[in-house]
Amino acid sequence: MSKSGIFTSSLAKKYWMALTGLFLITFLIGHLLGNLQLITKTGEEGRRAFNEYAYFMGHNIFIKILAYATYISILAHACLGLYLAVKNKQARPQKYAHNRPGANSGTASRYMAILGTAILIFICTHMANFWYKQKVAETVPLHYVEVKKVQQGQDPMTGQQITQEYTEIQALTTMGVYFPIGYINPQTHEKEIQIKPEGTKFKDPQSGLVAAEGYKDLHTVVMNFFGQSQQGQPTNQLAVWAVIGYVISMFVLMFHLWHGFVSAFQSLGLNHRKYNKLISVVGKAFAVVVPLLFAIIPVIIYLNR
Amino acid sequence: MASKTININLKIWRQKNANSKGSMETYKLDNVSTDSSFLEMLDQLNEQLVNEHKEPVAFDHDCREGICGMCSLYINGEAHGPDRGVTTCQLHMRKFKDGETIYVEPWRAKAFPVIKDLVVDRSAFDRIQQAGGFVSVNTSGRTIDANTIPVGKAEADKAFEAATCIGCGACVATCKNASAMLFVSAKVSQLALLPQGQVEAKQRVLNMVKQMDEEGFGNCTNTGACEVECPKGISLENIARMNREYLKAIVAAD
Ligand code: HEM
Ligand code: SF4
Ligand code: FES
């Protein structure tokens, strides 16, 4: 007898849409909590916390498994969603001359594929701007701090006690300590880096062994991208457009989730008079609050520039 | 109450046969009683067309009292017209204004090809039913009376609600994906809720969904339009139930 596969039937495809969608919803919570550190913590402490967090997200084995599940979910959700959208168009080759879909269904529910495609474009640019820099790029500056130091010594000529002020450059390392790697030349005001990193690794000049690993300064990348100057890195000239694009994308996500959150429960067969109200209220609240919280982060960064 | 008459403009889909290309044609119809039903109005139009020696408009109808599911029509952008909870035969002309232009189109779906004018072939629904929408009872003379099997009131009511589906196809017509989920879920639910139907529940849902997919209906995206336009108020709960039944079946079918 026929036994429809768990991949081939229309219903099974909907289960996968719902499961991947719900997984991405949980991913959003984690991602948001991470991002909120950008505005809840300030100064060197905030920068350090964020860069350490970004490093942790890329190196913890459990997080890595979740990250791969997220990549697969996005790909599967997007491919399957677009495939279904094409199939659904084909199911009505001849359109109505006069149609009033607004009379019986919500707008968001009818534009899921378009909203999803916009989200996909956002995800691609987002990953190019931040994910690529954190995970792949070699040229991203590391987390350096400048520390004022006072050196006491004897003038070799006169034998007098002298104190000299200078600025030391230290790299934050994964051991949690700041590691001196150079100084600022007091005459030229140029940075003199004595221990140059290879990627994120600092090698001992004598032995050639890796002495310490630095953190990529993703915090500065983000701040500069959204218009704040930090660490003398060039700020994004188009920051205002980056902020606007980000905010619009979050509105798109809001509409996608406005229908998607509740819809996923229906797809999985979780429709019960007792719980529908709860699912709907939680779903709509989630759809509004989460994208809004995402969206205020670049706005606040930009306004504090 | 004195009955009123209105004059209307009609834009109706005319198509000679399944293979010809159709188009929207305009007609003017005067003195339509607001007490007449939409189908009676079409009868009046056809009388006028016959008197003018023109081909009358073909449309489906039978009981004309909302129980057979034969009438259809996409009226002014909505299945069974602007009213809720009614079939086209139950739709009254008092829902329209004097001088109004009314669009009348056939159900549009790949799985419901047009036969002529406003008549579409809904045999895809029959084939879905034949794939499993029944209980295989022993008909050799030793069948037992259905009432000897106890059924809870709540379950019986839900099964009955599902069973009120008249198979009109409005759900497909109104769905942006031309999905047949509401119909199929009603037919799955009316049996899955009852002890007589549960024996074959797993295979039934697998077979009916398979047939539904083969007929070329689209995939449900939970817009909820079907529930709003369904003349019998079949609930989306039935779709969720079918999703559960199907999940159970693919996980546990032997
Ligand atoms: C963070 C990103 C995303 C989240 C949290 C998300 C979430 C969801 C959820 C929960 C659903 C409802 C599933 C259901 O009805 O069973 C859904 C549906 C959908 N999503 Fe997404 N989605 C995301 C990104 C995308 C992307 C990138 C696309 C790709 C183009 C996309 C396309 C769709 C489509 C077409 C549907 C409707 C599918 C259907 O109902 O059959 N989504 N999404
Ligand atoms: S579910 Fe409603 S709209 Fe669909 S066929 Fe049955 S009665 Fe008609
Ligand atoms: S003609 Fe029977 S339901 Fe309309």
Side-chain angles (χ1 to χ4, degrees), chain B residues 23-80:
Chain B
S23 61
M24 297 297 284
E25 301 295 334
T26 309
Y27 302 95
K28 210 173 144 31
L29 189 61
D30 291 342
N31 296 321
V32 179
S33 164
T34 52
D35 286 347
S36 65
S37 77
F38 201 85
L39 297 188
E40 283 164 342
M41 180 277 289
L42 287 179
D43 292 337
Q44 193 179 332
L45 171 72
N46 278 347
E47 219 173 293
Q48 180 178 311
L49 289 176
V50 168
N51 289 339
E52 293 168 359
H53 304 288
K54 288 184 187 149
E55 178 82 9
V57 180
F59 61 92
D60 267 326
H61 60 105
D62 190 5
C63 73
R64 298 215 176 192
E65 56 178 1
I67 57 169
C68 75
M70 201 57 203
C71 60
S72 56
L73 305 187
Y74 211 70
I75 302 160
N76 272 354
E78 285 184 73
H80 293 302

Short mmCIF file of all heavy atoms in Angstrom, two decimals, chain B residues 23-80:
data_model
loop_
_atom_site.label_atom_id
_atom_site.label_comp_id
_atom_site.label_asym_id
_atom_site.label_seq_id
_atom_site.Cartn_x
_atom_site.Cartn_y
_atom_site.Cartn_z
N SER B 23 -13.34 34.28 -22.24
CA SER B 23 -13.13 35.71 -21.95
C SER B 23 -14.30 36.22 -21.11
O SER B 23 -15.35 35.58 -21.02
CB SER B 23 -13.04 36.50 -23.24
OG SER B 23 -14.25 36.37 -23.96
N MET B 24 -14.11 37.38 -20.49
CA MET B 24 -15.18 38.00 -19.71
C MET B 24 -16.09 38.77 -20.67
O MET B 24 -15.61 39.59 -21.45
CB MET B 24 -14.59 38.97 -18.68
CG MET B 24 -13.72 38.34 -17.61
SD MET B 24 -14.54 37.16 -16.54
CE MET B 24 -15.49 38.24 -15.46
N GLU B 25 -17.40 38.48 -20.60
CA GLU B 25 -18.35 39.18 -21.47
C GLU B 25 -19.28 40.03 -20.59
O GLU B 25 -19.58 39.66 -19.45
CB GLU B 25 -19.21 38.19 -22.26
CG GLU B 25 -18.40 37.26 -23.16
CD GLU B 25 -17.67 37.99 -24.28
OE1 GLU B 25 -18.14 39.09 -24.67
OE2 GLU B 25 -16.62 37.48 -24.74
N THR B 26 -19.73 41.15 -21.15
CA THR B 26 -20.58 42.07 -20.39
C THR B 26 -22.05 41.93 -20.81
O THR B 26 -22.35 41.83 -22.00
CB THR B 26 -20.11 43.52 -20.61
OG1 THR B 26 -18.71 43.57 -20.38
CG2 THR B 26 -20.82 44.48 -19.67
N TYR B 27 -22.92 41.89 -19.80
CA TYR B 27 -24.36 41.82 -20.07
C TYR B 27 -25.06 42.84 -19.20
O TYR B 27 -24.60 43.16 -18.10
CB TYR B 27 -24.92 40.42 -19.75
CG TYR B 27 -24.25 39.33 -20.52
CD1 TYR B 27 -23.19 38.62 -19.96
CD2 TYR B 27 -24.67 39.01 -21.81
CE1 TYR B 27 -22.55 37.62 -20.68
CE2 TYR B 27 -24.02 38.01 -22.53
CZ TYR B 27 -22.97 37.32 -21.96
OH TYR B 27 -22.33 36.35 -22.68
N LYS B 28 -26.21 43.30 -19.70
CA LYS B 28 -27.02 44.21 -18.90
C LYS B 28 -28.32 43.50 -18.58
O LYS B 28 -28.92 42.87 -19.45
CB LYS B 28 -27.29 45.49 -19.71
CG LYS B 28 -27.44 46.70 -18.83
CD LYS B 28 -27.54 47.97 -19.62
CE LYS B 28 -28.49 48.95 -18.95
NZ LYS B 28 -28.58 48.88 -17.49
N LEU B 29 -28.75 43.53 -17.33
CA LEU B 29 -29.98 42.86 -16.96
C LEU B 29 -30.82 43.80 -16.10
O LEU B 29 -30.38 44.28 -15.06
CB LEU B 29 -29.65 41.57 -16.18
CG LEU B 29 -30.82 40.63 -15.91
CD1 LEU B 29 -31.45 40.12 -17.20
CD2 LEU B 29 -30.36 39.45 -15.05
N ASP B 30 -32.04 44.05 -16.57
CA ASP B 30 -32.92 44.99 -15.87
C ASP B 30 -33.99 44.25 -15.09
O ASP B 30 -34.29 43.08 -15.37
CB ASP B 30 -33.58 45.95 -16.87
CG ASP B 30 -32.56 46.89 -17.49
OD1 ASP B 30 -31.47 47.03 -16.90
OD2 ASP B 30 -32.84 47.47 -18.56
N ASN B 31 -34.60 44.96 -14.17
CA ASN B 31 -35.73 44.44 -13.40
C ASN B 31 -35.46 43.11 -12.70
O ASN B 31 -36.19 42.15 -12.85
CB ASN B 31 -36.96 44.29 -14.31
CG ASN B 31 -37.43 45.63 -14.83
OD1 ASN B 31 -37.40 46.62 -14.08
ND2 ASN B 31 -37.80 45.67 -16.09
N VAL B 32 -34.37 43.10 -11.97
CA VAL B 32 -34.07 41.89 -11.18
C VAL B 32 -34.67 42.09 -9.80
O VAL B 32 -34.36 43.07 -9.11
CB VAL B 32 -32.55 41.68 -11.06
CG1 VAL B 32 -32.24 40.46 -10.23
CG2 VAL B 32 -31.91 41.59 -12.44
N SER B 33 -35.53 41.18 -9.37
CA SER B 33 -36.13 41.29 -8.04
C SER B 33 -35.06 41.08 -6.98
O SER B 33 -34.26 40.15 -7.08
CB SER B 33 -37.23 40.25 -7.88
OG SER B 33 -37.54 40.10 -6.51
N THR B 34 -35.05 41.92 -5.96
CA THR B 34 -34.07 41.74 -4.88
C THR B 34 -34.40 40.51 -4.05
O THR B 34 -33.57 40.07 -3.26
CB THR B 34 -34.03 42.98 -3.96
OG1 THR B 34 -35.36 43.27 -3.54
CG2 THR B 34 -33.45 44.18 -4.67
N ASP B 35 -35.58 39.96 -4.21
CA ASP B 35 -35.93 38.73 -3.50
C ASP B 35 -35.45 37.48 -4.22
O ASP B 35 -35.49 36.38 -3.67
CB ASP B 35 -37.45 38.62 -3.33
CG ASP B 35 -37.96 39.59 -2.27
OD1 ASP B 35 -37.11 40.13 -1.54
OD2 ASP B 35 -39.18 39.81 -2.20
N SER B 36 -35.01 37.64 -5.45
CA SER B 36 -34.57 36.44 -6.18
C SER B 36 -33.19 36.02 -5.71
O SER B 36 -32.43 36.82 -5.17
CB SER B 36 -34.58 36.70 -7.69
OG SER B 36 -33.62 37.68 -8.00
N SER B 37 -32.92 34.75 -5.92
CA SER B 37 -31.59 34.26 -5.57
C SER B 37 -30.65 34.56 -6.73
O SER B 37 -31.08 34.91 -7.83
CB SER B 37 -31.62 32.76 -5.31
OG SER B 37 -31.68 32.06 -6.54
N PHE B 38 -29.36 34.39 -6.48
CA PHE B 38 -28.38 34.67 -7.52
C PHE B 38 -28.62 33.78 -8.74
O PHE B 38 -28.51 34.22 -9.88
CB PHE B 38 -26.96 34.49 -6.99
CG PHE B 38 -25.93 35.22 -7.80
CD1 PHE B 38 -25.67 36.57 -7.55
CD2 PHE B 38 -25.24 34.59 -8.82
CE1 PHE B 38 -24.72 37.25 -8.31
CE2 PHE B 38 -24.30 35.28 -9.58
CZ PHE B 38 -24.04 36.61 -9.32
N LEU B 39 -29.00 32.52 -8.47
CA LEU B 39 -29.21 31.59 -9.59
C LEU B 39 -30.47 31.96 -10.37
O LEU B 39 -30.51 31.83 -11.60
CB LEU B 39 -29.30 30.15 -9.08
CG LEU B 39 -28.03 29.59 -8.41
CD1 LEU B 39 -28.19 28.10 -8.13
CD2 LEU B 39 -26.79 29.85 -9.25
N GLU B 40 -31.49 32.43 -9.66
CA GLU B 40 -32.71 32.88 -10.36
C GLU B 40 -32.39 34.08 -11.25
O GLU B 40 -32.94 34.22 -12.35
CB GLU B 40 -33.80 33.24 -9.35
CG GLU B 40 -34.46 31.99 -8.77
CD GLU B 40 -35.28 32.26 -7.51
OE1 GLU B 40 -35.08 33.31 -6.86
OE2 GLU B 40 -36.10 31.40 -7.16
N MET B 41 -31.49 34.91 -10.78
CA MET B 41 -31.07 36.06 -11.60
C MET B 41 -30.41 35.54 -12.87
O MET B 41 -30.66 36.06 -13.98
CB MET B 41 -30.12 36.93 -10.77
CG MET B 41 -29.59 38.15 -11.47
SD MET B 41 -28.17 37.80 -12.50
CE MET B 41 -26.91 37.47 -11.26
N LEU B 42 -29.56 34.48 -12.72
CA LEU B 42 -28.90 33.93 -13.92
C LEU B 42 -29.94 33.28 -14.86
O LEU B 42 -29.79 33.34 -16.08
CB LEU B 42 -27.82 32.92 -13.53
CG LEU B 42 -26.53 33.51 -12.92
CD1 LEU B 42 -25.55 32.39 -12.56
CD2 LEU B 42 -25.86 34.51 -13.87
N ASP B 43 -30.97 32.65 -14.26
CA ASP B 43 -32.06 32.10 -15.09
C ASP B 43 -32.68 33.22 -15.93
O ASP B 43 -32.95 33.05 -17.12
CB ASP B 43 -33.15 31.47 -14.21
CG ASP B 43 -32.67 30.22 -13.49
OD1 ASP B 43 -31.70 29.60 -13.97
OD2 ASP B 43 -33.26 29.89 -12.45
N GLN B 44 -32.91 34.35 -15.26
CA GLN B 44 -33.52 35.49 -15.93
C GLN B 44 -32.62 35.98 -17.08
O GLN B 44 -33.10 36.29 -18.17
CB GLN B 44 -33.73 36.60 -14.90
CG GLN B 44 -34.63 37.73 -15.36
CD GLN B 44 -34.81 38.78 -14.25
OE1 GLN B 44 -34.73 38.46 -13.06
NE2 GLN B 44 -35.05 40.02 -14.65
N LEU B 45 -31.31 36.00 -16.80
CA LEU B 45 -30.37 36.41 -17.85
C LEU B 45 -30.44 35.43 -19.02
O LEU B 45 -30.47 35.83 -20.19
CB LEU B 45 -28.94 36.46 -17.29
CG LEU B 45 -27.84 36.67 -18.34
CD1 LEU B 45 -27.88 38.11 -18.87
CD2 LEU B 45 -26.46 36.34 -17.79
N ASN B 46 -30.49 34.14 -18.70
CA ASN B 46 -30.51 33.13 -19.75
C ASN B 46 -31.78 33.22 -20.60
O ASN B 46 -31.74 33.02 -21.81
CB ASN B 46 -30.36 31.73 -19.16
CG ASN B 46 -28.90 31.39 -18.88
OD1 ASN B 46 -28.02 32.10 -19.35
ND2 ASN B 46 -28.66 30.35 -18.10
N GLU B 47 -32.89 33.54 -19.95
CA GLU B 47 -34.14 33.73 -20.69
C GLU B 47 -33.96 34.86 -21.71
O GLU B 47 -34.32 34.74 -22.88
CB GLU B 47 -35.24 34.09 -19.70
CG GLU B 47 -36.57 33.46 -20.01
CD GLU B 47 -37.56 33.72 -18.89
OE1 GLU B 47 -37.34 33.16 -17.78
OE2 GLU B 47 -38.52 34.48 -19.09
N GLN B 48 -33.36 35.94 -21.19
CA GLN B 48 -33.10 37.09 -22.07
C GLN B 48 -32.19 36.68 -23.23
O GLN B 48 -32.44 37.04 -24.38
CB GLN B 48 -32.46 38.20 -21.23
CG GLN B 48 -32.11 39.47 -21.98
CD GLN B 48 -31.53 40.52 -21.02
OE1 GLN B 48 -32.09 40.80 -19.96
NE2 GLN B 48 -30.40 41.10 -21.39
N LEU B 49 -31.14 35.89 -22.93
CA LEU B 49 -30.21 35.48 -23.98
C LEU B 49 -30.90 34.58 -25.01
O LEU B 49 -30.68 34.71 -26.22
CB LEU B 49 -29.00 34.75 -23.36
CG LEU B 49 -28.03 35.63 -22.57
CD1 LEU B 49 -26.95 34.78 -21.93
CD2 LEU B 49 -27.41 36.71 -23.45
N VAL B 50 -31.75 33.66 -24.51
CA VAL B 50 -32.44 32.75 -25.42
C VAL B 50 -33.37 33.55 -26.34
O VAL B 50 -33.41 33.32 -27.54
CB VAL B 50 -33.24 31.69 -24.63
CG1 VAL B 50 -34.19 30.92 -25.55
CG2 VAL B 50 -32.28 30.72 -23.94
N ASN B 51 -34.06 34.54 -25.75
CA ASN B 51 -34.94 35.38 -26.57
C ASN B 51 -34.17 36.16 -27.63
O ASN B 51 -34.68 36.46 -28.69
CB ASN B 51 -35.72 36.36 -25.68
CG ASN B 51 -36.78 35.62 -24.87
OD1 ASN B 51 -37.18 34.51 -25.26
ND2 ASN B 51 -37.22 36.21 -23.78
N GLU B 52 -32.91 36.46 -27.29
CA GLU B 52 -32.07 37.17 -28.26
C GLU B 52 -31.36 36.18 -29.18
O GLU B 52 -30.45 36.55 -29.91
CB GLU B 52 -31.03 38.02 -27.53
CG GLU B 52 -31.62 39.18 -26.75
CD GLU B 52 -30.59 39.83 -25.81
OE1 GLU B 52 -29.43 39.36 -25.74
OE2 GLU B 52 -30.96 40.80 -25.12
N HIS B 53 -31.71 34.90 -29.09
CA HIS B 53 -31.08 33.82 -29.87
C HIS B 53 -29.58 33.73 -29.62
O HIS B 53 -28.79 33.51 -30.52
CB HIS B 53 -31.37 34.00 -31.37
CG HIS B 53 -32.84 34.06 -31.64
ND1 HIS B 53 -33.64 32.95 -31.55
CD2 HIS B 53 -33.64 35.11 -31.97
CE1 HIS B 53 -34.90 33.31 -31.80
NE2 HIS B 53 -34.92 34.62 -32.06
N LYS B 54 -29.23 33.92 -28.37
CA LYS B 54 -27.82 33.77 -27.98
C LYS B 54 -27.69 32.55 -27.08
O LYS B 54 -28.66 32.09 -26.47
CB LYS B 54 -27.33 35.01 -27.22
CG LYS B 54 -27.15 36.22 -28.14
CD LYS B 54 -26.57 37.38 -27.36
CE LYS B 54 -26.55 38.65 -28.18
NZ LYS B 54 -26.70 39.84 -27.35
N GLU B 55 -26.47 32.05 -26.99
CA GLU B 55 -26.17 30.88 -26.17
C GLU B 55 -26.34 31.23 -24.68
O GLU B 55 -25.72 32.18 -24.19
CB GLU B 55 -24.73 30.46 -26.46
CG GLU B 55 -24.21 29.28 -25.68
CD GLU B 55 -24.62 27.92 -26.24
OE1 GLU B 55 -25.18 27.88 -27.36
OE2 GLU B 55 -24.39 26.93 -25.55
N PRO B 56 -27.19 30.49 -23.92
CA PRO B 56 -27.30 30.80 -22.49
C PRO B 56 -26.01 30.45 -21.73
O PRO B 56 -25.21 29.67 -22.20
CB PRO B 56 -28.46 29.92 -22.03
CG PRO B 56 -28.58 28.85 -23.04
CD PRO B 56 -28.06 29.39 -24.34
N VAL B 57 -25.89 31.07 -20.56
CA VAL B 57 -24.70 30.83 -19.73
C VAL B 57 -24.86 29.50 -19.00
O VAL B 57 -25.87 29.27 -18.32
CB VAL B 57 -24.53 31.96 -18.68
CG1 VAL B 57 -23.30 31.72 -17.83
CG2 VAL B 57 -24.48 33.32 -19.36
N ALA B 58 -23.86 28.63 -19.13
CA ALA B 58 -23.90 27.35 -18.42
C ALA B 58 -23.37 27.54 -17.01
O ALA B 58 -22.31 28.12 -16.81
CB ALA B 58 -23.09 26.31 -19.16
N PHE B 59 -24.15 27.08 -16.02
CA PHE B 59 -23.67 27.10 -14.63
C PHE B 59 -24.23 25.89 -13.90
O PHE B 59 -25.27 25.33 -14.28
CB PHE B 59 -24.07 28.41 -13.93
CG PHE B 59 -25.54 28.65 -13.83
CD1 PHE B 59 -26.26 28.23 -12.71
CD2 PHE B 59 -26.23 29.33 -14.85
CE1 PHE B 59 -27.64 28.46 -12.62
CE2 PHE B 59 -27.59 29.56 -14.75
CZ PHE B 59 -28.30 29.13 -13.65
N ASP B 60 -23.53 25.47 -12.84
CA ASP B 60 -23.95 24.28 -12.09
C ASP B 60 -24.98 24.62 -11.04
O ASP B 60 -24.89 25.66 -10.38
CB ASP B 60 -22.72 23.67 -11.38
CG ASP B 60 -22.06 22.60 -12.22
OD1 ASP B 60 -22.79 21.89 -12.94
OD2 ASP B 60 -20.83 22.48 -12.14
N HIS B 61 -25.95 23.74 -10.86
CA HIS B 61 -26.93 23.90 -9.78
C HIS B 61 -27.72 22.61 -9.66
O HIS B 61 -27.74 21.80 -10.58
CB HIS B 61 -27.88 25.06 -10.10
CG HIS B 61 -28.64 24.85 -11.38
ND1 HIS B 61 -29.96 24.50 -11.40
CD2 HIS B 61 -28.23 24.91 -12.66
CE1 HIS B 61 -30.35 24.37 -12.67
NE2 HIS B 61 -29.32 24.60 -13.45
N ASP B 62 -28.31 22.42 -8.51
CA ASP B 62 -29.19 21.25 -8.36
C ASP B 62 -30.25 21.53 -7.31
O ASP B 62 -31.35 21.95 -7.63
CB ASP B 62 -28.36 20.01 -8.02
CG ASP B 62 -29.19 18.74 -8.10
OD1 ASP B 62 -30.36 18.83 -8.51
OD2 ASP B 62 -28.67 17.66 -7.75
N CYS B 63 -29.94 21.38 -6.03
CA CYS B 63 -30.98 21.46 -5.01
C CYS B 63 -31.55 22.87 -4.84
O CYS B 63 -32.71 23.05 -4.51
CB CYS B 63 -30.43 20.98 -3.67
SG CYS B 63 -29.28 22.14 -2.92
N ARG B 64 -30.73 23.85 -5.05
CA ARG B 64 -31.09 25.26 -4.85
C ARG B 64 -31.56 25.55 -3.42
O ARG B 64 -32.38 26.44 -3.19
CB ARG B 64 -32.13 25.70 -5.87
CG ARG B 64 -31.61 25.60 -7.30
CD ARG B 64 -32.14 26.70 -8.16
NE ARG B 64 -31.57 26.64 -9.50
CZ ARG B 64 -31.68 27.62 -10.38
NH1 ARG B 64 -32.35 28.70 -10.06
NH2 ARG B 64 -31.13 27.52 -11.57
N GLU B 65 -31.09 24.76 -2.48
CA GLU B 65 -31.40 25.09 -1.08
C GLU B 65 -30.19 24.85 -0.18
O GLU B 65 -30.34 24.61 1.01
CB GLU B 65 -32.64 24.33 -0.60
CG GLU B 65 -32.52 22.84 -0.76
CD GLU B 65 -33.76 22.11 -0.22
OE1 GLU B 65 -34.69 22.79 0.24
OE2 GLU B 65 -33.76 20.87 -0.26
N GLY B 66 -29.00 24.89 -0.78
CA GLY B 66 -27.79 24.89 0.04
C GLY B 66 -27.38 23.56 0.62
O GLY B 66 -26.65 23.53 1.61
N ILE B 67 -27.84 22.46 0.05
CA ILE B 67 -27.46 21.18 0.65
C ILE B 67 -26.70 20.24 -0.28
O ILE B 67 -26.11 19.27 0.16
CB ILE B 67 -28.68 20.43 1.24
CG1 ILE B 67 -29.74 20.22 0.16
CG2 ILE B 67 -29.22 21.14 2.46
CD1 ILE B 67 -30.84 19.28 0.60
N CYS B 68 -26.72 20.51 -1.59
CA CYS B 68 -26.12 19.53 -2.48
C CYS B 68 -24.68 19.85 -2.84
O CYS B 68 -23.90 18.97 -3.18
CB CYS B 68 -26.95 19.38 -3.75
SG CYS B 68 -26.76 20.75 -4.90
N GLY B 69 -24.30 21.12 -2.79
CA GLY B 69 -22.92 21.49 -3.12
C GLY B 69 -22.65 21.62 -4.60
O GLY B 69 -21.51 21.73 -5.02
N MET B 70 -23.70 21.63 -5.39
CA MET B 70 -23.51 21.65 -6.84
C MET B 70 -23.24 23.07 -7.35
O MET B 70 -22.44 23.26 -8.26
CB MET B 70 -24.77 21.09 -7.50
CG MET B 70 -24.55 20.60 -8.91
SD MET B 70 -23.27 19.34 -8.95
CE MET B 70 -22.78 19.49 -10.66
N CYS B 71 -23.89 24.08 -6.78
CA CYS B 71 -23.67 25.44 -7.29
C CYS B 71 -22.28 25.93 -6.87
O CYS B 71 -21.73 25.46 -5.89
CB CYS B 71 -24.76 26.39 -6.77
SG CYS B 71 -24.84 26.54 -4.99
N SER B 72 -21.77 26.86 -7.65
CA SER B 72 -20.42 27.36 -7.36
C SER B 72 -20.40 28.88 -7.58
O SER B 72 -21.24 29.56 -7.01
CB SER B 72 -19.40 26.64 -8.22
OG SER B 72 -19.71 26.76 -9.59
N LEU B 73 -19.52 29.37 -8.37
CA LEU B 73 -19.39 30.77 -8.81
C LEU B 73 -18.57 31.67 -7.87
O LEU B 73 -18.82 31.75 -6.66
CB LEU B 73 -20.77 31.43 -9.04
CG LEU B 73 -21.70 30.70 -10.02
CD1 LEU B 73 -22.92 31.54 -10.26
CD2 LEU B 73 -21.00 30.33 -11.31
N TYR B 74 -17.64 32.33 -8.50
CA TYR B 74 -16.80 33.32 -7.83
C TYR B 74 -17.39 34.68 -8.15
O TYR B 74 -17.29 35.16 -9.27
CB TYR B 74 -15.37 33.20 -8.35
CG TYR B 74 -14.31 33.55 -7.35
CD1 TYR B 74 -14.07 32.71 -6.26
CD2 TYR B 74 -13.54 34.69 -7.49
CE1 TYR B 74 -13.09 33.02 -5.33
CE2 TYR B 74 -12.54 35.01 -6.57
CZ TYR B 74 -12.32 34.16 -5.49
OH TYR B 74 -11.34 34.46 -4.58
N ILE B 75 -18.08 35.25 -7.17
CA ILE B 75 -18.88 36.44 -7.41
C ILE B 75 -18.24 37.66 -6.75
O ILE B 75 -18.02 37.68 -5.54
CB ILE B 75 -20.31 36.23 -6.86
CG1 ILE B 75 -20.95 35.00 -7.54
CG2 ILE B 75 -21.15 37.48 -7.07
CD1 ILE B 75 -22.12 34.42 -6.79
N ASN B 76 -17.96 38.64 -7.57
CA ASN B 76 -17.30 39.87 -7.08
C ASN B 76 -16.08 39.57 -6.21
O ASN B 76 -15.89 40.17 -5.15
CB ASN B 76 -18.30 40.74 -6.32
CG ASN B 76 -19.03 41.69 -7.25
OD1 ASN B 76 -18.69 41.77 -8.45
ND2 ASN B 76 -20.01 42.41 -6.74
N GLY B 77 -15.26 38.63 -6.68
CA GLY B 77 -14.01 38.37 -5.99
C GLY B 77 -14.11 37.47 -4.78
O GLY B 77 -13.14 37.34 -4.04
N GLU B 78 -15.29 36.85 -4.55
CA GLU B 78 -15.40 35.94 -3.42
C GLU B 78 -16.20 34.69 -3.79
O GLU B 78 -17.17 34.78 -4.56
CB GLU B 78 -16.10 36.63 -2.23
CG GLU B 78 -15.21 37.62 -1.51
CD GLU B 78 -15.91 38.21 -0.30
OE1 GLU B 78 -16.05 37.49 0.70
OE2 GLU B 78 -16.34 39.37 -0.37
N ALA B 79 -15.78 33.57 -3.23
CA ALA B 79 -16.49 32.32 -3.50
C ALA B 79 -17.89 32.39 -2.91
O ALA B 79 -18.08 32.78 -1.76
CB ALA B 79 -15.73 31.14 -2.89
N HIS B 80 -18.90 32.03 -3.68
CA HIS B 80 -20.31 32.11 -3.29
C HIS B 80 -20.74 33.55 -2.96
O HIS B 80 -21.71 33.77 -2.24
CB HIS B 80 -20.63 31.22 -2.07
CG HIS B 80 -20.52 29.75 -2.32
ND1 HIS B 80 -21.24 29.08 -3.28
CD2 HIS B 80 -19.76 28.80 -1.72
CE1 HIS B 80 -20.94 27.79 -3.26
NE2 HIS B 80 -20.03 27.59 -2.32
#
